[in-house]
Amino acid sequence: MRIDAGTWRRWLLVLIVFAVGCAKAQSFDAARNSIRKRMTDLDAPSVAVAVARDGKILWEEGFGWADREKRIATTPHTLYSLASISKPITATGLMVLVQAGKVDLDRAVNDYLGAVKIVAKVGDARQATVRRVANHSSGLPLHYHFFYADEPYRPPSFEETLRKYGMLVTAPGERYQYSNLGFGILDEVISRVAGSAYREFMQREVFEPLGLSEMSIEVSGSVKAPAAVRYGSDGRALPFYWFDHTGASAAWASAHDLARFGMFHLKAHLPEQKAILRDETIDAMQAPTAPDEDGAGYGVAWHIGEANGYRWVSHGGSMAGVRTLLFLIPSEKIAAVALCNAGVDLPGPVVDDILAALLPRWKPGVPKPKRAAAAFRPIPELVGTWSGKLSTYEKDQPFTLRIFESGDVHAKLGGQLETLLTGQAGVEWENGYLSGSMQGDIGTEDADRYRHFIGVRLKLRGDSLNGPATAFTQQAKGRAGDALTSWVELRKTDSSGSRR
């Protein structure tokens, strides 16, 4: 049988298309194999991945169990708790209001709050702008507070949380301090300015216009996709939990929809998505306006940095039963997503493997070596006895630090036993801040629900030594504890640093 030239060309075209499709499918085989091995090594219940380029999803797949007990396999459409990836999602809603002229990023955030405002322990609360809250440089403290369904405690009203913990513990613009409380404040700003509940606003003004039917604030009836169970460090399913910082932590999404959210922030202009933000507004979110703790930049709810010759924009999430990562490379129009329903170090390496499959120059990140703790040697101005108080939302307690020339630091809180100030890295003195941790009872109802220790970070300001004292609560059963911050104010009462 003779085959004419036209038929040969058609068959050749089919073979080429098939070969290209196979090449694409096979290009992620190394990542697949790596995922399976890492899951086994870490005993991870599941991971869901998605990667998009030039406005198209190239690969999405689920591995493992969304629910081990019920043997429900995960898919790219399974909803995962996102933890702090909630922040750029909340910020997208905030920027809708900014773009509409209803919120000014450089106006004091207090101007958008109700009767209870942020108070300044140091600095000027008027300088705590919306932008500084969004880039973690406002001076708000470290804060996370969890409420589990099998316990009697439930999140308080936002105003109660703000009354207890809404204080500036460093001057606005002085330093970067990652604060979930800040994004709890921003979801309150959205609600007050929009005149509707934060969750309803996000559904109406962000998720529906962007066609994100598999994204929601908490798990609600508006989303039909199944949700992945969160597993604790002991491998057991965690009871459902809430927080008092919803805008920082409460979003859920599938890998599929989170990749599409990423494509929107790459300005892909998908036909089924409404352009709720102009391109220049997206660019403004991705402009670093504060340095983060790793030396990269932080914009409006995005980390921004450079690696392997590529500028990247990203956010991750980590809390009990959750580890997530959304990673964008704007120049290549790439969005990569990895979601895990356990707190194990899986999404970062998975995203590295995905990027290595797409970018020849991409080399997986090398873990930073842990910095060896240097012996603390106090400067002369620190040596001596510092006396004052630790102030919580309930009461003040006498607090004393005795700093010796040898580097020993003794701490005494109220009528409790004197203890050493120590810490995982020992006592540290860096950039004018004295840091360490100590045994003790901070004495508030919130913190006293669980065993806790106290971490301090005190700045030398003339004749004062002041700053946050954070109660880090410790829970069993593989659950995350809380970080609840109070205020310390000390004055030097004795300059002697020798032992007697």
Side-chain angles (χ1 to χ4, degrees):
M1 179 179 71
R2 294 187 63 188
I3 300 176
D4 60 71
T7 301
W8 271 113
R9 283 194 295 269
R10 285 192 294 273
W11 273 106
L12 183 60
L13 180 60
V14 169
L15 288 170
I16 291 172
V17 170
F18 177 75
V20 170
C22 287
K24 285 184 177 179
Q26 292 171 359
S27 66
F28 295 106
D29 281 351
R32 283 190 183 90
N33 294 335
S34 177
I35 287 170
R36 294 187 180 104
K37 182 180 185 304
R38 293 181 194 277
M39 287 179 64
T40 299
D41 292 344
L42 295 170
D43 192 27
S46 76
V47 64
V49 301
V51 56
R53 190 172 199 176
D54 295 323
K56 294 181 176 61
I57 291 182
L58 303 180
W59 173 45
E60 55 183 9
E61 192 169 344
F63 301 82
W65 303 105
D67 187 326
R68 276 175 165 167
E69 291 72 28
K70 294 181 180 178
R71 311 303 282 176
I72 298 174
T74 197
T75 77
H77 300 282
T78 300
L79 266 66
Y80 282 77
S81 174
L82 298 182
S84 285
I85 296 179
S86 303
K87 292 178 175 70
I89 293 171
T90 294
T92 300
L94 176 72
M95 295 303 284
V96 169
L97 297 174
V98 169
Q99 189 172 264
K102 296 180 179 180
V103 173
D104 183 344
L105 287 176
D106 296 313
R107 186 172 168 183
V109 75
N110 271 345
D111 291 348
Y112 300 101
L113 297 177
V116 182
K117 309 284 190 183
I118 295 169
V119 297
K121 296 294 186 180
V122 63
D124 182 354
R126 291 172 298 181
Q127 299 302 313
T129 61
V130 177
R131 186 187 305 277
R132 282 177 166 157
V133 173
N135 70 16
H136 300 295
S137 69
S138 67
L140 286 164
L142 180 69
H143 181 85
Y144 40 93
H145 202 184
F146 297 98
F147 301 84
Y148 290 87
D150 64 346
E151 296 178 336
Y153 315 116
R154 290 293 177 268
S157 69
F158 172 76
E159 288 197 340
E160 183 178 345
T161 292
L162 192 59
R163 178 181 64 81
K164 291 178 177 178
Y165 303 110
M167 57 185 164
L168 304 184
V169 296
T170 55
E174 182 175 281
R175 69 184 298 270
Y176 176 92
Q177 172 58 69
Y178 193 82
S179 180
N180 288 321
L181 180 59
F183 277 79
I185 288 170
L186 292 182
D187 83 57
E188 177 73 4
V189 168
I190 288 171
S191 178
R192 286 185 171 276
V193 172
S196 61
Y198 161 72
R199 180 190 298 178
E200 294 170 1
F201 175 86
M202 295 298 293
Q203 185 67 35
R204 182 180 71 247
E205 301 295 335
V206 178
F207 304 149
E208 290 178 4
L210 294 183
L212 303 176
S213 61
E214 296 168 2
M215 184 176 286
S216 70
I217 303 302
E218 296 184 340
V219 180
S220 67
S222 63
V223 180
K224 305 304 180 186
V229 173
R230 294 182 283 213
Y231 289 91
S233 57
D234 60 357
R236 297 183 181 183
L238 291 166
F240 195 83
Y241 59 81
W242 303 269
F243 0 73
D244 62 0
H245 39 81
T246 301
S249 312
W252 291 68
S254 67
H256 174 84
D257 263 12
L258 190 56
R260 295 175 69 245
F261 174 80
M263 283 190 271
F264 172 73
H265 279 276
L266 290 170
K267 299 177 281 190
H269 301 298
L270 303 182
E272 67 274 22
Q273 290 187 333
K274 179 182 176 182
I276 60 173
L277 298 180
R278 295 188 291 268
D279 286 358
E280 55 266 33
T281 304
I282 291 172
D283 288 338
M285 292 180 70
Q286 298 175 14
T289 52
D292 70 12
E293 69 273 21
D294 293 323
Y298 201 93
V300 180
W302 287 113
H303 294 279
I304 304 105
E306 186 172 321
N308 300 301
Y310 298 100
R311 180 177 179 271
W312 54 260
V313 176
S314 81
H315 216 293
S318 177
M319 61 189 186
V322 180
R323 193 65 68 89
T324 58
L325 182 60
L326 168 60
F327 203 91
L328 312 178
I329 300 187
S331 65
E332 306 301 312
K333 301 295 182 184
I334 290 174
V337 170
L339 309 177
C340 182
N341 56 340
V344 295
D345 188 18
L346 187 56
V350 167
V351 166
D352 265 340
D353 290 340
I354 289 171
L355 295 176
L358 293 171
L359 303 171
R361 285 189 288 145
W362 190 267
K363 305 299 179 187
V366 178
K368 290 184 178 180
K370 291 186 178 180
R371 181 165 57 95
F376 172 58
R377 289 291 180 266
I379 60 173
E381 293 87 344
L382 283 178
V383 173
T385 300
W386 296 80
S387 300
K389 61 188 178 181
L390 186 155
S391 301
T392 71
Y393 65 84
E394 290 185 358
K395 62 182 179 181
D396 295 342
Q397 295 187 71
F399 186 58
T400 301
L401 287 182
R402 290 196 297 153
I403 304 175
F404 296 97
E405 292 175 348
S406 65
D408 283 352
V409 181
H410 292 193
K412 183 170 175 56
L413 176 60
Q416 300 169 47
L417 292 175
E418 187 171 284
T419 184
L420 282 173
L421 192 71
T422 57
Q424 286 186 339
V427 177
E428 294 186 271
W429 173 253
E430 187 175 12
N431 298 325
Y433 290 90
L434 177 74
S435 303
S437 61
M438 56 180 277
Q439 296 301 313
D441 180 355
I442 210 162
T444 65
E445 180 187 6
D446 287 350
D448 283 351
R449 293 169 183 170
Y450 311 104
R451 182 182 177 187
H452 59 272
F453 66 92
I454 303 169
V456 298
R457 183 191 291 269
L458 309 179
K459 185 172 178 63
L460 184 62
R461 304 178 191 274
D463 63 350
S464 295
L465 193 59
N466 58 33
T470 303
F472 293 96
T473 70
Q474 300 164 291
Q475 290 210 44
K477 303 178 182 177
R479 305 181 187 196
D482 303 320
L484 306 170
T485 296
S486 299
W487 175 253
V488 167
E489 184 76 42
L490 304 175
R491 293 277 195 282
K492 185 180 280 190
T493 56
D494 180 2
S495 296
S496 172
S498 60
R499 296 183 183 278
R500 296 174 182 171

